[in-house]
PDB file of all heavy atoms in Angstrom:
ATOM      1  N   SER T 249     -11.831   8.890  17.161  1.00  0.00           N
ATOM      2  CA  SER T 249     -10.999   8.503  16.035  1.00  0.00           C
ATOM      3  C   SER T 249     -11.208   9.113  14.757  1.00  0.00           C
ATOM      4  O   SER T 249     -10.277   9.128  13.860  1.00  0.00           O
ATOM      5  CB  SER T 249     -11.222   6.884  15.887  1.00  0.00           C
ATOM      6  OG  SER T 249     -12.565   6.601  15.595  1.00  0.00           O
ATOM      7  N   GLY T 250     -12.316   9.811  14.603  1.00  0.00           N
ATOM      8  CA  GLY T 250     -12.578  10.615  13.360  1.00  0.00           C
ATOM      9  C   GLY T 250     -11.449  11.733  13.182  1.00  0.00           C
ATOM     10  O   GLY T 250     -11.083  11.987  11.940  1.00  0.00           O
ATOM     11  N   TYR T 251     -10.902  12.244  14.223  1.00  0.00           N
ATOM     12  CA  TYR T 251      -9.864  13.265  14.059  1.00  0.00           C
ATOM     13  C   TYR T 251      -8.581  12.671  13.574  1.00  0.00           C
ATOM     14  O   TYR T 251      -7.812  13.514  13.011  1.00  0.00           O
ATOM     15  CB  TYR T 251      -9.638  13.887  15.533  1.00  0.00           C
ATOM     16  CG  TYR T 251     -10.790  14.753  15.965  1.00  0.00           C
ATOM     17  CD1 TYR T 251     -11.660  14.115  16.952  1.00  0.00           C
ATOM     18  CD2 TYR T 251     -11.132  15.997  15.457  1.00  0.00           C
ATOM     19  CE1 TYR T 251     -12.764  14.957  17.511  1.00  0.00           C
ATOM     20  CE2 TYR T 251     -12.236  16.669  15.913  1.00  0.00           C
ATOM     21  CZ  TYR T 251     -12.971  16.169  16.900  1.00  0.00           C
ATOM     22  OH  TYR T 251     -14.158  16.912  17.483  1.00  0.00           O
ATOM     23  N   ALA T 252      -8.343  11.362  13.735  1.00  0.00           N
ATOM     24  CA  ALA T 252      -7.127  10.762  13.232  1.00  0.00           C
ATOM     25  C   ALA T 252      -7.035  10.890  11.730  1.00  0.00           C
ATOM     26  O   ALA T 252      -5.978  10.618  11.122  1.00  0.00           O
ATOM     27  CB  ALA T 252      -7.060   9.377  13.718  1.00  0.00           C
ATOM     28  N   LEU T 253      -8.169  11.118  10.977  1.00  0.00           N
ATOM     29  CA  LEU T 253      -8.148  11.258   9.596  1.00  0.00           C
ATOM     30  C   LEU T 253      -7.646  12.610   9.069  1.00  0.00           C
ATOM     31  O   LEU T 253      -7.555  12.837   7.904  1.00  0.00           O
ATOM     32  CB  LEU T 253      -9.517  10.973   8.972  1.00  0.00           C
ATOM     33  CG  LEU T 253     -10.116   9.728   9.420  1.00  0.00           C
ATOM     34  CD1 LEU T 253     -11.673   9.540   9.037  1.00  0.00           C
ATOM     35  CD2 LEU T 253      -9.390   8.383   8.895  1.00  0.00           C
ATOM     36  N   ALA T 254      -7.613  13.521   9.958  1.00  0.00           N
ATOM     37  CA  ALA T 254      -7.387  14.959   9.636  1.00  0.00           C
ATOM     38  C   ALA T 254      -6.078  15.207   8.919  1.00  0.00           C
ATOM     39  O   ALA T 254      -6.036  15.867   7.818  1.00  0.00           O
ATOM     40  CB  ALA T 254      -7.583  15.808  10.800  1.00  0.00           C
ATOM     41  N   ALA T 255      -5.045  14.750   9.450  1.00  0.00           N
ATOM     42  CA  ALA T 255      -3.727  15.167   8.904  1.00  0.00           C
ATOM     43  C   ALA T 255      -3.563  14.644   7.425  1.00  0.00           C
ATOM     44  O   ALA T 255      -3.141  15.535   6.485  1.00  0.00           O
ATOM     45  CB  ALA T 255      -2.597  14.550   9.653  1.00  0.00           C
ATOM     46  N   ASP T 256      -3.970  13.474   7.156  1.00  0.00           N
ATOM     47  CA  ASP T 256      -3.822  13.060   5.716  1.00  0.00           C
ATOM     48  C   ASP T 256      -4.831  13.561   4.830  1.00  0.00           C
ATOM     49  O   ASP T 256      -4.565  13.784   3.702  1.00  0.00           O
ATOM     50  CB  ASP T 256      -3.892  11.467   5.775  1.00  0.00           C
ATOM     51  CG  ASP T 256      -2.586  10.745   6.245  1.00  0.00           C
ATOM     52  OD1 ASP T 256      -1.609  11.426   6.290  1.00  0.00           O
ATOM     53  OD2 ASP T 256      -2.722   9.506   6.319  1.00  0.00           O
ATOM     54  N   ALA T 257      -6.052  13.952   5.398  1.00  0.00           N
ATOM     55  CA  ALA T 257      -6.978  14.629   4.430  1.00  0.00           C
ATOM     56  C   ALA T 257      -6.446  15.989   4.082  1.00  0.00           C
ATOM     57  O   ALA T 257      -6.662  16.421   2.803  1.00  0.00           O
ATOM     58  CB  ALA T 257      -8.347  14.743   5.288  1.00  0.00           C
ATOM     59  N   ILE T 258      -5.832  16.660   4.881  1.00  0.00           N
ATOM     60  CA  ILE T 258      -5.234  18.015   4.734  1.00  0.00           C
ATOM     61  C   ILE T 258      -3.918  17.791   3.710  1.00  0.00           C
ATOM     62  O   ILE T 258      -3.876  18.663   2.766  1.00  0.00           O
ATOM     63  CB  ILE T 258      -4.706  18.734   5.938  1.00  0.00           C
ATOM     64  CG1 ILE T 258      -6.108  19.022   6.690  1.00  0.00           C
ATOM     65  CG2 ILE T 258      -3.932  19.953   5.611  1.00  0.00           C
ATOM     66  CD1 ILE T 258      -5.642  19.532   8.197  1.00  0.00           C
ATOM     67  N   ARG T 259      -3.256  16.865   3.957  1.00  0.00           N
ATOM     68  CA  ARG T 259      -2.089  16.564   3.053  1.00  0.00           C
ATOM     69  C   ARG T 259      -2.599  16.278   1.564  1.00  0.00           C
ATOM     70  O   ARG T 259      -2.026  16.754   0.703  1.00  0.00           O
ATOM     71  CB  ARG T 259      -1.351  15.470   3.607  1.00  0.00           C
ATOM     72  CG  ARG T 259      -0.439  15.684   4.829  1.00  0.00           C
ATOM     73  CD  ARG T 259       0.157  14.334   5.314  1.00  0.00           C
ATOM     74  NE  ARG T 259       1.200  14.643   6.386  1.00  0.00           N
ATOM     75  CZ  ARG T 259       1.095  13.959   7.522  1.00  0.00           C
ATOM     76  NH1 ARG T 259       0.206  13.034   7.806  1.00  0.00           N
ATOM     77  NH2 ARG T 259       2.076  14.269   8.483  1.00  0.00           N
ATOM     78  N   ALA T 260      -3.637  15.472   1.585  1.00  0.00           N
ATOM     79  CA  ALA T 260      -4.174  15.066   0.213  1.00  0.00           C
ATOM     80  C   ALA T 260      -4.660  16.272  -0.520  1.00  0.00           C
ATOM     81  O   ALA T 260      -4.465  16.579  -1.714  1.00  0.00           O
ATOM     82  CB  ALA T 260      -5.302  14.081   0.421  1.00  0.00           C
ATOM     83  N   GLU T 261      -5.315  17.317   0.275  1.00  0.00           N
ATOM     84  CA  GLU T 261      -5.970  18.464  -0.441  1.00  0.00           C
ATOM     85  C   GLU T 261      -4.878  19.381  -0.797  1.00  0.00           C
ATOM     86  O   GLU T 261      -5.084  20.272  -1.702  1.00  0.00           O
ATOM     87  CB  GLU T 261      -6.947  19.088   0.560  1.00  0.00           C
ATOM     88  CG  GLU T 261      -7.899  19.912  -0.189  1.00  0.00           C
ATOM     89  CD  GLU T 261      -8.736  19.267  -1.286  1.00  0.00           C
ATOM     90  OE1 GLU T 261      -9.065  18.138  -1.131  1.00  0.00           O
ATOM     91  OE2 GLU T 261      -9.004  19.954  -2.281  1.00  0.00           O
ATOM     92  N   SER T 262      -3.664  19.356  -0.129  1.00  0.00           N
ATOM     93  CA  SER T 262      -2.527  20.294  -0.536  1.00  0.00           C
ATOM     94  C   SER T 262      -1.932  19.804  -1.854  1.00  0.00           C
ATOM     95  O   SER T 262      -1.073  20.778  -2.434  1.00  0.00           O
ATOM     96  CB  SER T 262      -1.525  20.172   0.607  1.00  0.00           C
ATOM     97  OG  SER T 262      -0.678  19.060   0.441  1.00  0.00           O
ATOM     98  N   GLN T 263      -2.226  18.732  -2.376  1.00  0.00           N
ATOM     99  CA  GLN T 263      -1.619  18.268  -3.597  1.00  0.00           C
ATOM    100  C   GLN T 263      -1.859  19.277  -4.743  1.00  0.00           C
ATOM    101  O   GLN T 263      -0.980  19.237  -5.668  1.00  0.00           O
ATOM    102  CB  GLN T 263      -1.932  16.859  -3.875  1.00  0.00           C
ATOM    103  CG  GLN T 263      -1.479  15.892  -2.784  1.00  0.00           C
ATOM    104  CD  GLN T 263      -0.013  15.986  -2.625  1.00  0.00           C
ATOM    105  OE1 GLN T 263       0.846  15.726  -3.332  1.00  0.00           O
ATOM    106  NE2 GLN T 263       0.265  16.312  -1.300  1.00  0.00           N
ATOM    107  N   GLY T 264      -3.019  19.831  -4.695  1.00  0.00           N
ATOM    108  CA  GLY T 264      -3.215  20.876  -5.943  1.00  0.00           C
ATOM    109  C   GLY T 264      -2.229  21.974  -6.006  1.00  0.00           C
ATOM    110  O   GLY T 264      -1.954  22.433  -6.912  1.00  0.00           O
ATOM    111  N   ASP T 265      -1.717  22.391  -4.805  1.00  0.00           N
ATOM    112  CA  ASP T 265      -0.856  23.461  -4.784  1.00  0.00           C
ATOM    113  C   ASP T 265       0.615  23.008  -4.804  1.00  0.00           C
ATOM    114  O   ASP T 265       1.525  23.711  -4.991  1.00  0.00           O
ATOM    115  CB  ASP T 265      -0.945  24.229  -3.393  1.00  0.00           C
ATOM    116  CG  ASP T 265      -2.180  25.249  -3.385  1.00  0.00           C
ATOM    117  OD1 ASP T 265      -2.836  25.267  -4.450  1.00  0.00           O
ATOM    118  OD2 ASP T 265      -2.320  25.934  -2.390  1.00  0.00           O
ATOM    119  N   ALA T 266       0.964  21.758  -4.622  1.00  0.00           N
ATOM    120  CA  ALA T 266       2.162  21.110  -4.612  1.00  0.00           C
ATOM    121  C   ALA T 266       3.068  21.530  -5.827  1.00  0.00           C
ATOM    122  O   ALA T 266       4.235  21.906  -5.698  1.00  0.00           O
ATOM    123  CB  ALA T 266       2.182  19.655  -4.433  1.00  0.00           C
ATOM    124  N   PRO T 267       2.449  21.553  -7.089  1.00  0.00           N
ATOM    125  CA  PRO T 267       3.428  21.835  -8.255  1.00  0.00           C
ATOM    126  C   PRO T 267       3.539  23.325  -8.319  1.00  0.00           C
ATOM    127  O   PRO T 267       4.271  23.841  -9.349  1.00  0.00           O
ATOM    128  CB  PRO T 267       2.729  21.224  -9.404  1.00  0.00           C
ATOM    129  CG  PRO T 267       1.339  20.759  -9.085  1.00  0.00           C
ATOM    130  CD  PRO T 267       1.246  21.000  -7.529  1.00  0.00           C
ATOM    131  N   LEU T 268       2.914  24.127  -7.464  1.00  0.00           N
ATOM    132  CA  LEU T 268       2.840  25.568  -7.692  1.00  0.00           C
ATOM    133  C   LEU T 268       3.484  26.350  -6.646  1.00  0.00           C
ATOM    134  O   LEU T 268       3.346  27.649  -6.606  1.00  0.00           O
ATOM    135  CB  LEU T 268       1.290  26.112  -7.727  1.00  0.00           C
ATOM    136  CG  LEU T 268       0.372  25.281  -8.705  1.00  0.00           C
ATOM    137  CD1 LEU T 268      -1.057  25.680  -8.401  1.00  0.00           C
ATOM    138  CD2 LEU T 268       0.779  25.514 -10.168  1.00  0.00           C
ATOM    139  N   VAL T 269       4.438  25.776  -5.920  1.00  0.00           N
ATOM    140  CA  VAL T 269       5.001  26.479  -4.668  1.00  0.00           C
ATOM    141  C   VAL T 269       5.960  27.615  -5.260  1.00  0.00           C
ATOM    142  O   VAL T 269       6.288  28.577  -4.360  1.00  0.00           O
ATOM    143  CB  VAL T 269       5.775  25.540  -3.784  1.00  0.00           C
ATOM    144  CG1 VAL T 269       4.708  24.545  -3.069  1.00  0.00           C
ATOM    145  CG2 VAL T 269       6.773  24.769  -4.526  1.00  0.00           C
ATOM    146  N   GLU T 270       6.425  27.490  -6.461  1.00  0.00           N
ATOM    147  CA  GLU T 270       7.247  28.669  -6.954  1.00  0.00           C
ATOM    148  C   GLU T 270       6.447  29.611  -7.825  1.00  0.00           C
ATOM    149  O   GLU T 270       6.978  30.598  -8.257  1.00  0.00           O
ATOM    150  CB  GLU T 270       8.318  27.980  -7.838  1.00  0.00           C
ATOM    151  CG  GLU T 270       9.349  27.136  -6.991  1.00  0.00           C
ATOM    152  CD  GLU T 270      10.461  26.510  -7.837  1.00  0.00           C
ATOM    153  OE1 GLU T 270      10.527  26.816  -9.131  1.00  0.00           O
ATOM    154  OE2 GLU T 270      11.315  25.849  -7.340  1.00  0.00           O
ATOM    155  N   HIS T 271       5.148  29.458  -7.876  1.00  0.00           N
ATOM    156  CA  HIS T 271       4.276  30.461  -8.492  1.00  0.00           C
ATOM    157  C   HIS T 271       3.901  31.532  -7.671  1.00  0.00           C
ATOM    158  O   HIS T 271       3.949  31.397  -6.402  1.00  0.00           O
ATOM    159  CB  HIS T 271       2.982  29.670  -9.057  1.00  0.00           C
ATOM    160  CG  HIS T 271       3.379  28.734 -10.228  1.00  0.00           C
ATOM    161  ND1 HIS T 271       2.430  28.483 -11.142  1.00  0.00           N
ATOM    162  CD2 HIS T 271       4.339  27.967 -10.463  1.00  0.00           C
ATOM    163  CE1 HIS T 271       2.948  27.611 -12.131  1.00  0.00           C
ATOM    164  NE2 HIS T 271       4.001  27.352 -11.712  1.00  0.00           N
ATOM    165  N   TRP T 272       3.408  32.602  -8.127  1.00  0.00           N
ATOM    166  CA  TRP T 272       2.887  33.771  -7.325  1.00  0.00           C
ATOM    167  C   TRP T 272       1.743  33.511  -6.585  1.00  0.00           C
ATOM    168  O   TRP T 272       0.784  32.763  -7.097  1.00  0.00           O
ATOM    169  CB  TRP T 272       2.662  34.992  -8.302  1.00  0.00           C
ATOM    170  CG  TRP T 272       2.499  36.319  -7.491  1.00  0.00           C
ATOM    171  CD1 TRP T 272       1.380  36.764  -6.879  1.00  0.00           C
ATOM    172  CD2 TRP T 272       3.600  37.169  -7.198  1.00  0.00           C
ATOM    173  NE1 TRP T 272       1.691  37.917  -6.226  1.00  0.00           N
ATOM    174  CE2 TRP T 272       3.019  38.190  -6.470  1.00  0.00           C
ATOM    175  CE3 TRP T 272       4.997  37.217  -7.608  1.00  0.00           C
ATOM    176  CZ2 TRP T 272       3.774  39.384  -5.937  1.00  0.00           C
ATOM    177  CZ3 TRP T 272       5.722  38.406  -7.027  1.00  0.00           C
ATOM    178  CH2 TRP T 272       5.115  39.354  -6.358  1.00  0.00           C
ATOM    179  N   ASP T 273       1.740  33.621  -5.253  1.00  0.00           N
ATOM    180  CA  ASP T 273       0.637  33.537  -4.352  1.00  0.00           C
ATOM    181  C   ASP T 273       0.119  34.718  -3.807  1.00  0.00           C
ATOM    182  O   ASP T 273       0.824  35.454  -3.153  1.00  0.00           O
ATOM    183  CB  ASP T 273       1.078  32.520  -3.207  1.00  0.00           C
ATOM    184  CG  ASP T 273      -0.067  32.008  -2.419  1.00  0.00           C
ATOM    185  OD1 ASP T 273      -1.049  32.617  -2.186  1.00  0.00           O
ATOM    186  OD2 ASP T 273      -0.003  30.788  -1.972  1.00  0.00           O
ATOM    187  N   PHE T 274      -1.048  35.123  -4.174  1.00  0.00           N
ATOM    188  CA  PHE T 274      -1.601  36.450  -3.879  1.00  0.00           C
ATOM    189  C   PHE T 274      -1.992  36.523  -2.466  1.00  0.00           C
ATOM    190  O   PHE T 274      -2.163  37.574  -1.939  1.00  0.00           O
ATOM    191  CB  PHE T 274      -2.842  36.729  -4.774  1.00  0.00           C
ATOM    192  CG  PHE T 274      -2.398  37.197  -6.208  1.00  0.00           C
ATOM    193  CD1 PHE T 274      -2.368  36.287  -7.148  1.00  0.00           C
ATOM    194  CD2 PHE T 274      -2.229  38.602  -6.387  1.00  0.00           C
ATOM    195  CE1 PHE T 274      -1.758  36.819  -8.423  1.00  0.00           C
ATOM    196  CE2 PHE T 274      -1.705  38.920  -7.642  1.00  0.00           C
ATOM    197  CZ  PHE T 274      -1.641  38.173  -8.728  1.00  0.00           C
ATOM    198  N   ASP T 275      -2.212  35.326  -1.708  1.00  0.00           N
ATOM    199  CA  ASP T 275      -2.291  35.556  -0.321  1.00  0.00           C
ATOM    200  C   ASP T 275      -1.045  35.961   0.390  1.00  0.00           C
ATOM    201  O   ASP T 275      -1.041  36.656   1.405  1.00  0.00           O
ATOM    202  CB  ASP T 275      -2.567  34.086   0.398  1.00  0.00           C
ATOM    203  CG  ASP T 275      -4.062  33.573   0.135  1.00  0.00           C
ATOM    204  OD1 ASP T 275      -4.885  34.393  -0.433  1.00  0.00           O
ATOM    205  OD2 ASP T 275      -4.364  32.531   0.520  1.00  0.00           O
ATOM    206  N   LEU T 276       0.088  35.584  -0.200  1.00  0.00           N
ATOM    207  CA  LEU T 276       1.459  35.905   0.392  1.00  0.00           C
ATOM    208  C   LEU T 276       2.094  37.175  -0.154  1.00  0.00           C
ATOM    209  O   LEU T 276       3.058  37.685   0.442  1.00  0.00           O
ATOM    210  CB  LEU T 276       2.277  34.647   0.342  1.00  0.00           C
ATOM    211  CG  LEU T 276       1.811  33.429   0.879  1.00  0.00           C
ATOM    212  CD1 LEU T 276       2.788  32.129   0.575  1.00  0.00           C
ATOM    213  CD2 LEU T 276       1.621  33.535   2.440  1.00  0.00           C
ATOM    214  N   GLY T 277       1.708  37.530  -1.416  1.00  0.00           N
ATOM    215  CA  GLY T 277       2.398  38.558  -2.012  1.00  0.00           C
ATOM    216  C   GLY T 277       3.679  38.131  -2.742  1.00  0.00           C
ATOM    217  O   GLY T 277       4.565  38.888  -2.912  1.00  0.00           O
TER     218      GLY T 277
END
Side-chain angles (χ1 to χ4, degrees):
S249 55
Y251 294 104
L253 305 172
D256 281 348
I258 294 169
R259 288 173 172 131
E261 200 59 34
S262 77
Q263 297 308 295
D265 280 0
L268 307 175
V269 294
E270 295 181 357
H271 290 213
W272 194 273
D273 190 320
F274 280 93
D275 284 354
L276 302 172

